[in-house]
């Protein structure tokens, strides 16, 4: 039994006896598999097959190589990780059953800032609270805010010309903890151990063994010989990363240059995707920062700045805009009246008015500080003077490009201090926000403390927008006053829609009406206007994060303009990008879902230069290789890892006694087929020739990677990088063959949250439900790219289902009363045929990686087929046949083996007494199912259901006191009417559908409408329309032969099947007598084929409704 507490979202198990039995089975087989190393998989050796091409090797010994994105070692695995693991795991199990040598390896990702940042936090907390946190006072926890490692970052896209990737982590954890040590304790780490995590290397020692423990407990088919950690903690893997970066550098795919990048001042380095607590996939947003020179300060501002700015120096308000082409229409400049602004010294002669946030961001872009002296703390940047925005209202400034050479600083309540510079230039002709605000200012000048004429400068058309809407080229006025009827600047929802319309139409359909680029499309003119402003000293480039980005160290990130090494993805290397796109669209690559393919296309469209900062760059030691850039082609390392080292860290030699320093770039070139072997390479490396040839054999056999499994959130970075780097370093035949992306995992329909108690680690799941029941729930969770759901009630119900099925199998194989001899009775044939059909259906689902459907076929449908056979043979007095029963149990174990391996191996070895593990068994080979037997089975089920439903309907009427045709509780007789021919009225519709089918195959929508129109004209649509629709379904969905459909021949002998059903129906329905009548044309007369007498001259009205394949029936009470 199970229950939920009143406020507890997690299911509580109340009786665990059956679960415990299954867990003991699991532990037994996990040990057996590990002891026998059944999952260790090797390429054919040189001695086995000395001379063979990779194609010949793979043809003779088919292989399957699959990986999932190796987990980051800052914690234990939760069921979200396990969901991704399960896709790889189920595929590995299925591929083994196809006779393929299957390799599923795993390493541990340790590169980048997350571990370093967490260890630094912990070190500070140890210093503050003591080694065992004895100085920590519990009351501090009461005020602790939610710590959110990876929340969803919703962003408003302001620049319509830029594609942005957004990421929604449905499985993001919310942890009620203020301190790092509390987060660690929530993972079950003893308090006495916590201080050790102050050393980043301890994380690498602590978490990988737990990861391995949990996956063994899960039953994962992993070859553990090949495990390793990233970073130079493993010197062998470090040589692989250095080779990778060197070769990319030589190809100019890694270049050095100054570019904008997200940067953490506190950490003193760029903050890439996996170094972030918040804001993954957010990129720098570039603006044009205008310089609006102060001509005359407002009285209040003048008093504040007096004596603070040197004589002769110029001061500029600096708005940042995404639309420099609209600057011809400036009518004022807005500030937030309650926002604090600072005057910052940009040079001896120039001072800028900014918010502190804007100035801090600019400080890393060539202003205020040099890149060698970037500050770590905002206190290093101090303004000359500060004032509230309200004090600046009325200040007169020069507006570059504007037809109004001089404009005023005016108040705008909706200016955000958290976006841009806090200074906003106003173009009311093309910005709905600006138009609404200017209109409001002009209506209430006294309220805002301004002179009315400041808000009434002429609004001139600057962009001709080619749409049919009557906007007269002042689109903002039209959108505000007519289309959306916006009454106030506070009408944010309508303004957002209007802004979107204005920006899109202006950019894509606009033409300049003024300025040096008059007549040019806005799309063309925009960069030209920007360049001209910057060239004339009236603007400069400015960038900031497109949304909030927080580093793992808790730092709010900025955008820095840095000299750095970067991977030259995107538009700067179109041939490289196009090669990846071609591969994505080729028959050599499978993305499994159109959503995945489209996501890759989108990322390849926007992804540009990417900083390569994690392991050190071999040619420039002060730079590190970023945590995503050293993890793009590590799948190749798996193929030879166990030859190089035995342990995670490369401290123990592997199969060969090769030292890390022997793994030179030239050796790696040879292994990955970039060069051939010669005496010089053997001599220079000191590695024996046969060992070099063996390493190459391993890679050539296992590569290319057959399947990569990952969450969809890695498409904007790691997965796209994987395709790019393979395309750069490997020959085309070795590029990945497929990438399967899954959605994130909900838990009981909601996102996982430790603070709400809705969280489950893999270890907890396996302890709570057992591995097999957990695997069932993961398979049932879903296979689409959308977010899936781990339902604890599915895991819990699976315990009972698997236990009951296990017990039943154990009992029936010992049953000496089972029927023997011939097993060719009607219901035996149906069962045998249905098993064949389900085996083939399950194969298709496994092959397509649709595991929810594979589970349905292999477990639910297969046991349902058994139940039907068992009930039918029992009701008919025959009982189950021993041989068929054993076939069922064997097939059941085989079909479930990929998803439920422990249970399956127990049945295989201990119930069926097979000599070795089911892990080495092959997928069953079965005959093609018989369509006639399949049709007969469906007929039996449908007919039985219709009869029992009719009886139940009479019983329901009786309980309500209504008049009934017969009393189901009294002795009764059932007469079944089976028609020998179809009604003549159907002939004309048969010919109509036949003609349309021959012409269009019934796949043309226009033809479909024409067909239905013709049916309506022929009359009697009440009968005809369902009949025609049934024909269409049979032809287009049912898979029936057209000749059988049009000839209207049943695939089985209906009367023969009814004869077989009679004995069982008597018990099922409880009838004393059952009669089967073959009805003649017209439905008035018929021949008795089961029962007393030969003919019936006057049949009940029910007989008229019978058609071949759909019998009718009549109940009546009998005497006695």
């Amino acid at each position: 039994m199970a229950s939920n507490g009143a406020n507890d979202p997690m299911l509580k198990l109340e009786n665990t006896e059956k679960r415990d039995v299954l867990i003991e089975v699991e532990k037994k087989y996990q040990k057996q598999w590990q002891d026998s190393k059944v999952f260790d998989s090797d390429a054919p050796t040189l001695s086995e097959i000395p001379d063979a091409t990779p194609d010949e090797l793979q043809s003779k010994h088919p292989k399957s190589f699959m990986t999932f994105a190796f987990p980051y070692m800052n914690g234990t695995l939760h069921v979200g990780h396990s969901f991704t693991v399960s896709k790889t795991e189920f595929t590995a199990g299925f591929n083994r059953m196809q006779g393929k040598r299957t390799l599923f390896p795993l390493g541990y990702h340790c590169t980048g800032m997350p571990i370093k940042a967490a260890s630094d936090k912990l070190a500070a907390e140890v210093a503050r609270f003591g080694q065992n946190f004895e100085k920590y006072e519990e009351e501090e926890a009461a005020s602790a805010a939610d710590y959110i490692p990876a929340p969803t970052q919703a962003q408003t896209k302001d620049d319509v010309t830029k594609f942005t990737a957004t990421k929604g982590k449905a499985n993001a954890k919310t942890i009620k903890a203020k301190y790092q040590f509390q987060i660690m304790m929530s993972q079950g780490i003893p308090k006495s151990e916590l201080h050790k995590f102050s050393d980043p290397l301890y994380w690498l020692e602590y978490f990988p063994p737990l990861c391995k423990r949990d996956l063994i407990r899960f039953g994962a088919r992993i070859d553990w010989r090949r495990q390793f950690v990233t970073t130079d903690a493993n010197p062998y893997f470090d040589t692989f990363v250095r080779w990778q970066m060197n070769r990319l550098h030589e190809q100019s795919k890694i270049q050095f240059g100054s570019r904008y990048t997200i940067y953490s001042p506190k950490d003193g380095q760029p903050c890439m995707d996996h170094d972030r607590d918040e804001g993954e996939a957010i990129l720098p947003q570039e603006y044009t920062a205008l310089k609006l020179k102060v001509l005359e300060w407002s009285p209040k501002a003048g008093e504040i700045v007096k004596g603070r700015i040197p004589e002769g120096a110029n001061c500029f308000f600096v708005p940042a805009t995404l639309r420099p082409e609209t600057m011809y229409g400036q009518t004022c400049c807005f500030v937030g009246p309650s926002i604090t602004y600072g005057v910052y010294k940009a040079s001896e002669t120039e001072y800028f008015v900014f918010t502190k946030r804007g100035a801090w961001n600019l400080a890393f872009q060539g202003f205020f500080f040099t890149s060698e002296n970037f500050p770590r703390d905002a206190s290093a940047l101090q303004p000359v003077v500060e004032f509230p925005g309200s004090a600046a209202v009325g200040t007169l400034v020069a507006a570059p490009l504007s037809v109004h050479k001089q404009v005023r600083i005016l108040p705008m309540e909706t200016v955000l201090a958290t976006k841009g510079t806090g200074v906003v230039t106003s173009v009311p002709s093309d910005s709905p926000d600006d138009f609404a605000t200017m209109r409001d200012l002009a209506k209430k000048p006294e309220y805002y403390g301004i002179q009315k004429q400041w808000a009434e400068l002429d609004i001139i058309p600057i962009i001709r927008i080619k749409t049919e809407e009557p906007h007269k080229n002042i689109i903002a006025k039209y959108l505000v006053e007519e289309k959306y009827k916006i009454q106030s600047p506070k009408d944010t929802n309508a303004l957002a829609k209007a802004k979107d319309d204005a920006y899109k139409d202006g950019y894509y359909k606009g033409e300049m009406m003024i300025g040096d680029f008059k007549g040019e499309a806005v799309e063309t003119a925009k960069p030209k206007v920007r360049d001209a402003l910057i060239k004339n000293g009236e603007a400069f480039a400015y960038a900031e994060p497109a949304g909030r980005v927080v580093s793992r160290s808790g730092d709010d990130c900025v955008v820095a303009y840095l000299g750095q090494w970067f991977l030259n993805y995107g538009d700067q290397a179109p041939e490289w990008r196009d090669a990846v796109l071609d591969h994505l669209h080729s028959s050599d690559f499978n993305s499994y879902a159109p959503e995945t393919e489209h996501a890759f296309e989108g990322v390849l469209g926007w992804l540009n230069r990417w900083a390569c900062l994690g392991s050190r760059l071999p040619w420039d030691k002060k730079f590190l290789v970023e945590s995503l850039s050293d993890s793009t082609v590590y799948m190749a390392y798996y193929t030879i890892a166990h030859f190089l080292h035995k342990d995670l860290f490369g401290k123990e030699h592997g199969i060969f006694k090769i030292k890390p320093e022997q793994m030179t770039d030239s050796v790696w070139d040879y292994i990955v087929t970039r060069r051939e072997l010669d005496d010089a390479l053997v001599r220079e490396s000191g590695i024996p020739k046969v060992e070099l040839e063996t390493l190459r054999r391993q890679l050539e056999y296992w590569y290319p990677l057959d399947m990569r499994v990952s969450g969809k959130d890695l498409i904007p970075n790691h997965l796209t990088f994987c395709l790019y780097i393979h395309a750069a370093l490997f020959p085309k035949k070795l590029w990945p063959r497929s990438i399967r992306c899954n959605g994130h995992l909900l838990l009981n329909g909601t996102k996982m949250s430790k603070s709400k108690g809705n969280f489950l680690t893999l270890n907890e799941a396996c302890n709570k439900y057992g591995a097999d029941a957990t695997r069932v729930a993961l398979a049932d969770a879903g296979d689409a790219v959308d977010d899936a759901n781990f339902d604890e009630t599915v895991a819990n119900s699976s315990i009972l289902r698997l236990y009951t099925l296990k017990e039943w199998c154990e009992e029936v194989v010992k049953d000496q009363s089972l029927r023997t001899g011939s097993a060719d009775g009607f219901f035996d044939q149906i069962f045998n045929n249905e098993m064949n059909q389900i085996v083939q259906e399950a194969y298709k689902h496994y092959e397509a990686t649709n595991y929810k459907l594979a589970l349905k076929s292999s477990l639910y449908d297969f046991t349902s087929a058994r139940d039907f056979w068992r009930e039918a043979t029992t009701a008919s007095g025959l009982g189950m046949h021993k041989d068929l029963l054993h076939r069922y149990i064997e097939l059941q174990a085989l079909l479930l083996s990929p998803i439920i391996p422990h249970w399956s191996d127990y049945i295989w070895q201990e119930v069926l007494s097979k000599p070795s593990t089911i892990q080495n068994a092959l997928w069953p080979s079965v005959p093609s199912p018989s369509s006639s037997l399949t049709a007969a089975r469906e007929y039996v089920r449908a007919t039985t259901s219709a009869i029992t439903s009719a009886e139940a309907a009479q019983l329901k009427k009786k309980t309500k006191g209504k008049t009934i045709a017969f009393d189901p509780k009294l002795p009764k007789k059932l007469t079944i009417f089976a028609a020998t021919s179809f009604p003549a009225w159907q002939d004309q519709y048969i010919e109509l559908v036949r003609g349309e089918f021959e012409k269009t195959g019934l796949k043309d929508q226009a033809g479909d409408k024409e067909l239905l129109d013709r049916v309506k004209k022929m009359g009697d649509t009440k009968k005809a329309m369902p009949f025609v629709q049934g024909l269409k379904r049979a032809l287009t969905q049912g898979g029936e032969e057209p000749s059988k459909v049009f000839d209207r021949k049943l695939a089985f002998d209906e009367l023969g099947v009814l004869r077989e059903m009679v004995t069982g129906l008597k018990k099922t329905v409880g009838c004393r007598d059952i009669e089967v009548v073959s009805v003649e044309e017209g439905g008035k007369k018929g021949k008795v084929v089961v029962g007393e007498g030969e003919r019936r001259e006057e049949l009940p009205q029910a007989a008229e409704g019978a058609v071949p394949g759909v019998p009718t029936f009549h109940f009546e009470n009998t005497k006695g």
Side-chain angles (χ1 to χ4, degrees):
M1 294 179 62
S3 65
N4 288 90
N7 299 309
D8 192 343
M10 303 297 288
L11 203 65
K12 302 297 182 187
L13 302 191
E14 297 172 5
N15 187 336
T16 64
E17 181 182 349
K18 295 179 175 62
R19 178 205 67 185
D20 295 342
V21 169
L22 295 175
I23 285 179
E24 285 307 308
V25 168
E26 292 169 357
K27 289 180 178 178
K28 175 180 179 179
Y29 283 93
Q30 287 157 8
K31 184 177 187 306
Q32 183 187 110
W33 298 337
Q34 294 304 312
D35 289 347
S36 65
K37 301 187 181 300
V38 68
F39 304 132
D40 291 0
S41 196
D42 292 297
T45 66
L46 293 169
S47 58
E48 288 175 326
I49 306 178
D51 297 306
T53 66
D55 290 342
E56 290 169 343
L57 272 178
Q58 293 171 7
S59 177
K60 189 171 183 178
H61 297 281
K63 63 90 182 180
S64 177
F65 176 26
M66 64 208 62
T67 65
F68 78 98
F70 51 17
Y72 197 77
M73 288 296 98
N74 61 343
T76 54
L77 303 182
H78 55 67
V79 289
H81 295 112
S82 314
F83 183 55
T84 302
V85 173
S86 72
K87 305 304 180 187
T88 323
E89 167 61 18
F90 299 157
T91 305
F94 177 63
N95 286 346
R96 289 177 67 93
M97 298 187 77
Q98 295 178 79
K100 296 178 180 179
R101 296 195 186 195
T102 299
L103 176 58
F104 176 15
L106 183 67
Y108 309 102
H109 196 196
C110 306
T111 313
M113 282 300 296
I115 289 175
K116 178 66 167 62
S119 65
D120 287 347
K121 287 181 185 177
L122 203 60
E125 291 165 16
V126 168
R128 178 178 177 183
F129 299 122
Q131 179 170 300
N132 293 314
F133 305 94
E134 61 274 8
K135 299 177 186 177
Y136 173 72
E137 295 182 7
E138 292 296 331
E139 59 266 23
E140 292 191 40
S143 63
D146 275 5
Y147 172 80
I148 307 175
T152 299
Q153 175 68 48
Q155 290 300 325
T156 301
K157 188 171 81 172
D158 287 343
D159 189 349
V160 299
T161 70
K162 297 290 190 296
F163 175 90
T164 56
T166 58
K167 173 184 175 183
K169 282 200 170 182
N171 63 335
K173 305 182 293 296
T174 304
I175 304 166
K176 193 72 172 180
K178 183 176 182 179
Y179 297 107
Q180 183 66 39
F181 81 87
Q182 294 171 321
I183 299 169
M184 307 287 290
M185 288 177 64
S186 72
Q187 298 187 46
I189 301 171
K191 187 181 286 188
S192 59
E193 289 276 311
L194 290 178
H195 68 278
K196 298 178 183 178
F197 290 88
S198 298
D199 178 1
L201 292 179
Y202 188 69
W203 298 62
L204 280 60
E205 298 172 4
Y206 187 85
F207 285 113
L210 296 184
C211 178
K212 180 179 178 180
R213 175 204 68 186
D214 294 348
L215 288 170
I216 289 175
R217 181 74 184 81
F218 185 62
R221 300 171 174 91
I222 292 173
D223 183 344
W224 292 108
R225 299 172 301 163
R226 302 168 187 266
Q227 58 182 334
F228 63 90
V229 296
T230 62
T231 76
D232 54 8
N234 184 318
Y236 291 96
F237 182 71
D238 194 50
T239 68
F240 178 69
V241 174
R242 284 192 277 114
W243 160 78
Q244 173 187 335
M245 306 312 286
N246 278 332
R247 293 298 178 252
L248 291 170
H249 184 220
E250 290 168 2
Q251 295 179 41
S252 296
K253 287 181 166 51
I254 292 180
Q255 299 179 359
F256 188 86
S258 295
R259 58 186 292 276
Y260 290 117
T261 191
I262 306 292
Y263 184 88
S264 166
K266 181 178 179 180
D267 299 330
Q269 68 175 44
C271 184
M272 309 311 289
D273 271 2
H274 280 198
D275 298 330
R276 302 175 186 177
D277 257 357
E278 182 178 335
E280 192 165 342
I282 286 177
L283 301 172
Q285 173 69 67
E286 293 189 41
Y287 294 84
T288 303
L290 286 172
K291 295 166 65 175
L292 276 61
K293 181 180 177 181
V294 173
L295 302 176
E296 177 186 315
W297 286 101
S298 67
K300 289 183 181 178
E303 283 297 316
I304 294 171
V305 302
K306 187 176 181 180
R308 300 298 186 92
I309 301 174
E311 272 309 312
N314 293 315
C315 193
F316 300 88
F317 280 76
V318 185
T321 180
L322 292 169
R323 306 192 68 194
E325 74 282 3
T326 66
M327 293 303 100
Y328 299 99
Q330 294 176 84
T331 60
C332 77
C333 179
F334 292 126
V335 293
S338 59
I339 294 174
T340 298
Y341 293 86
V343 177
Y344 294 88
K345 181 180 179 181
S347 69
E348 293 299 326
T349 57
E350 291 192 343
Y351 289 74
F352 294 161
V353 178
F354 264 9
T355 57
K356 179 64 178 281
R357 174 190 171 277
W360 179 240
N361 205 75
L362 188 63
F364 300 88
Q365 297 171 29
F367 290 86
F368 313 139
F369 301 93
T370 64
S371 59
E372 292 79 18
N373 298 298
F374 278 166
R376 294 294 185 97
D377 186 270
S379 62
L381 178 65
Q382 294 297 325
V384 171
V385 66
E386 290 182 317
F387 53 77
S390 57
V393 171
T395 297
L396 186 68
V397 294
L401 294 185
S402 177
V403 294
H404 304 292
K405 301 301 181 184
Q406 300 177 4
V407 299
R408 296 284 177 173
I409 302 294
L410 299 181
M412 187 182 199
E413 298 288 349
T414 55
V415 171
L416 297 175
T418 56
K419 188 172 185 179
T421 62
V423 180
V424 181
T425 190
S426 172
V427 184
S429 59
D430 289 77
S431 168
D433 291 287
D434 296 351
F435 181 87
T437 299
M438 294 298 288
R439 182 182 63 180
D440 199 50
L441 290 170
K443 285 181 181 178
K444 299 180 286 185
E446 296 84 4
Y447 174 80
Y448 288 109
I450 65 170
Q451 296 181 29
K452 186 174 183 179
Q453 63 267 29
W454 293 349
E456 290 186 328
L457 298 186
D458 290 342
I459 300 174
I460 63 165
I462 57 175
I463 295 176
R464 179 178 292 106
I465 299 176
K466 300 173 183 177
T467 66
E468 295 181 359
E469 293 179 305
H471 49 66
K472 299 180 182 178
N473 296 320
I474 301 182
I475 194 168
K477 177 180 172 66
Y478 163 73
L479 292 172
V480 170
E481 295 187 341
E482 299 182 45
K483 185 172 182 178
Y484 292 105
K485 303 188 184 308
I486 296 167
Q487 302 301 314
S488 164
K490 296 179 181 179
D491 193 353
T492 54
N493 291 334
L495 278 169
K497 294 177 184 177
K499 178 179 179 180
D500 195 51
D501 287 356
Y503 281 21
K504 285 182 178 178
D505 286 348
Y507 185 76
Y508 292 110
K509 302 174 183 177
E511 178 184 286
M512 299 301 298
M513 297 176 65
I514 191 171
D516 294 341
F517 309 103
K518 181 179 179 181
E520 292 190 22
V522 168
E523 193 171 356
T524 303
K526 178 176 181 173
K528 294 181 180 179
V529 175
R530 183 177 195 263
D531 291 345
L533 282 165
I534 293 173
K535 183 179 179 181
N536 294 333
E538 296 175 310
F540 56 88
Y542 170 79
E544 64 180 37
R548 189 174 185 226
V549 178
V550 179
S551 72
R552 297 278 182 174
S553 61
D555 190 28
D556 272 303
C557 292
V558 298
V559 166
Y561 191 68
L562 287 175
Q564 60 185 271
W565 293 100
F566 57 84
L567 281 149
N568 197 32
Y569 298 131
D571 291 341
Q572 302 301 314
E575 292 182 3
W576 192 15
R577 179 198 59 207
D578 293 346
V580 175
L581 267 172
D582 290 345
H583 182 61
L584 179 72
H585 296 144
S586 74
S587 59
D588 291 331
F589 186 80
N590 184 7
S591 56
Y592 298 93
E595 299 95 323
T596 300
E597 182 175 343
H598 297 332
F600 273 117
E601 291 169 343
V603 173
L604 288 165
W606 65 257
L607 181 65
N608 216 310
R609 297 173 171 181
W610 187 275
C612 44
L613 299 160
S615 305
R616 297 198 177 275
L617 286 172
W619 64 88
D620 195 339
K621 300 297 183 183
K622 70 176 181 287
F623 287 94
L624 298 175
V625 181
E626 174 262 340
S627 62
L628 286 167
S629 298
D630 77 348
S631 303
T632 54
V633 293
Y634 65 87
M635 311 89 191
Y637 189 79
Y638 282 133
T639 65
I640 66 167
H642 59 307
F643 286 90
L644 301 180
H645 52 86
K646 189 176 181 180
D647 66 314
L648 287 176
F649 299 96
K651 294 177 180 178
E652 298 179 55
H653 287 301
I655 296 172
F656 297 155
K657 306 302 180 185
I658 299 172
K659 298 176 181 178
E661 55 267 25
Q662 292 177 278
M663 296 300 295
T664 63
D665 289 353
S666 296
V667 169
W668 282 112
D669 281 340
Y670 170 69
I671 293 170
V672 304
T673 76
R674 289 171 59 88
R675 61 165 289 173
E676 294 307 316
L677 186 60
D678 56 29
D679 292 340
L681 182 59
V682 174
R683 184 174 60 254
E684 290 166 6
S685 68
I687 302 173
K689 180 180 179 182
V690 68
E691 293 185 2
L692 287 168
E693 290 175 334
T694 298
L695 295 177
R696 174 138 165 182
R697 162 63 66 88
Q698 296 294 315
L699 183 128
E700 284 190 315
Y701 176 70
W702 290 117
Y703 246 56
L705 180 67
D706 296 292
M707 175 190 268
R708 177 69 167 168
V709 180
S710 173
K712 62 185 178 182
D713 54 295
L714 292 185
I715 294 176
N717 41 61
H718 162 72
L719 294 175
T720 303
F721 299 170
C722 174
L723 294 176
Y724 258 119
I725 305 303
H726 272 96
L729 298 181
F730 291 79
K732 195 174 191 314
K733 65 180 181 178
L734 299 184
W735 297 1
R737 289 292 179 258
S738 76
I739 294 177
R740 190 193 191 288
C741 292
N742 53 261
H744 301 297
L745 191 70
L746 304 176
L747 178 56
N748 299 324
T750 58
K751 66 181 180 180
M752 285 192 288
S753 168
K754 280 192 175 181
S755 66
K756 296 177 182 177
N758 192 51
F759 189 79
L760 195 63
T761 67
L762 175 56
N763 187 50
E764 289 168 343
C766 290
N767 288 334
K768 186 174 184 178
Y769 299 110
D772 281 341
T774 298
R775 292 166 71 108
V776 169
L778 288 168
D780 180 76
D783 295 299
V785 181
D786 296 332
D787 289 349
N789 181 42
F790 184 96
D791 189 339
E792 284 193 286
T793 62
V794 173
N796 185 53
S797 64
S798 297
I799 294 172
L800 178 60
R801 183 184 294 273
L802 294 177
Y803 179 84
T804 303
L805 188 54
K806 167 185 167 292
E807 293 285 297
W808 182 84
C809 290
E810 290 171 338
E811 290 172 10
V812 294
V813 294
K814 300 173 186 175
D815 190 345
Q816 298 301 312
S817 66
L818 292 172
R819 178 164 48 100
T820 57
S822 175
D824 58 358
F826 174 68
F827 288 108
D828 293 341
Q829 291 183 55
I830 280 184
F831 183 42
N832 235 338
N833 185 71
E834 187 168 11
M835 286 195 289
N836 295 338
Q837 182 181 18
I838 292 174
V839 167
Q840 294 193 0
E841 286 176 356
Y843 184 93
K844 292 177 182 177
H845 295 321
Y846 275 121
E847 188 176 44
T849 71
N850 291 327
Y851 299 113
K852 188 180 179 76
L853 293 175
L855 176 69
K856 177 181 179 296
S857 295
S858 300
L859 180 58
Y860 306 126
D861 292 350
F862 211 62
T863 53
S864 177
R866 176 211 60 177
D867 293 343
F868 177 77
W869 172 65
R870 179 176 58 182
E871 292 161 9
T873 54
T874 301
S876 63
L878 295 172
M880 296 183 291
H881 194 284
K882 180 179 180 180
D883 295 342
L884 267 185
L885 188 65
H886 278 258
R887 182 173 191 249
Y888 159 75
I889 294 173
E890 181 171 322
L891 289 175
Q892 181 70 92
L894 288 168
L895 265 60
L896 289 177
S897 178
I899 295 175
I900 312 173
H902 309 88
W903 184 94
S904 298
D905 215 354
Y906 174 85
I907 297 297
W908 189 255
Q909 294 191 57
E910 299 189 37
V911 176
L912 297 175
S913 300
K914 299 290 185 179
S916 61
T917 176
I918 200 171
Q919 298 285 5
N920 292 328
L922 297 179
W923 186 265
S925 177
V926 298
S928 297
S930 162
S931 59
S932 62
L933 285 172
T934 300
R937 180 196 71 216
E938 294 307 309
Y939 176 84
V940 171
R941 286 179 171 169
T943 302
T944 303
S945 176
I947 291 170
T948 54
S949 296
E951 185 183 29
Q954 291 297 317
L955 194 60
K956 188 175 181 181
K957 281 185 178 181
K958 182 182 178 182
T959 59
K960 292 183 177 181
K962 297 182 179 180
T963 303
I964 56 175
F966 73 98
D967 190 337
K969 293 188 176 181
L970 296 177
K972 55 187 179 289
K973 172 185 175 182
L974 168 66
T975 303
I976 302 173
F977 304 107
T980 57
S981 60
F982 289 92
W985 66 265
Q986 294 180 354
D987 292 344
Q988 60 180 332
Y989 297 102
I990 287 282
E991 294 307 312
L992 177 64
V993 175
R994 187 200 304 270
E996 192 61 36
F997 180 76
E998 291 173 351
K999 186 168 65 175
T1000 68
L1002 298 177
K1003 295 178 181 178
D1004 179 64
Q1005 288 187 352
D1008 188 50
K1009 184 178 184 302
E1010 182 183 343
L1011 172 66
L1012 298 181
D1013 288 342
R1014 291 174 67 183
V1015 171
K1016 291 176 183 177
K1017 290 178 182 178
M1018 293 168 72
D1020 203 3
T1021 56
K1022 190 173 182 180
K1023 284 197 303 184
M1025 199 64 77
F1027 175 66
V1028 169
Q1029 295 288 11
L1031 290 174
K1032 283 180 58 187
R1033 280 194 298 273
L1035 290 164
T1036 60
Q1037 300 173 22
E1040 296 184 40
E1041 290 289 332
S1043 59
K1044 289 184 178 180
V1045 174
F1046 292 125
D1047 293 344
R1048 291 190 286 178
K1049 292 180 180 178
L1050 295 180
F1052 58 93
D1053 177 2
E1054 184 174 11
L1055 293 175
V1057 171
L1058 287 170
R1059 288 190 187 96
E1060 297 284 354
M1061 291 176 64
V1062 166
T1063 303
L1065 277 174
K1066 282 184 178 181
K1067 290 189 176 181
T1068 303
V1069 185
C1071 286
R1072 175 176 295 177
D1073 299 308
I1074 293 183
E1075 190 173 80
V1076 177
V1077 177
S1078 176
V1079 180
E1080 298 172 0
E1081 176 70 33
K1084 302 296 184 182
K1085 301 177 181 181
K1087 179 181 179 181
V1088 178
V1089 293
V1090 176
E1092 298 179 357
E1094 294 185 357
R1095 290 189 58 77
R1096 294 285 185 272
E1097 297 300 327
E1098 294 186 9
L1099 296 176
Q1101 186 177 358
E1104 296 181 21
V1107 294
V1110 186
T1112 56
F1113 33 85
H1114 175 73
F1115 281 103
E1116 57 186 306
N1117 291 120
T1118 59
K1119 296 180 180 180

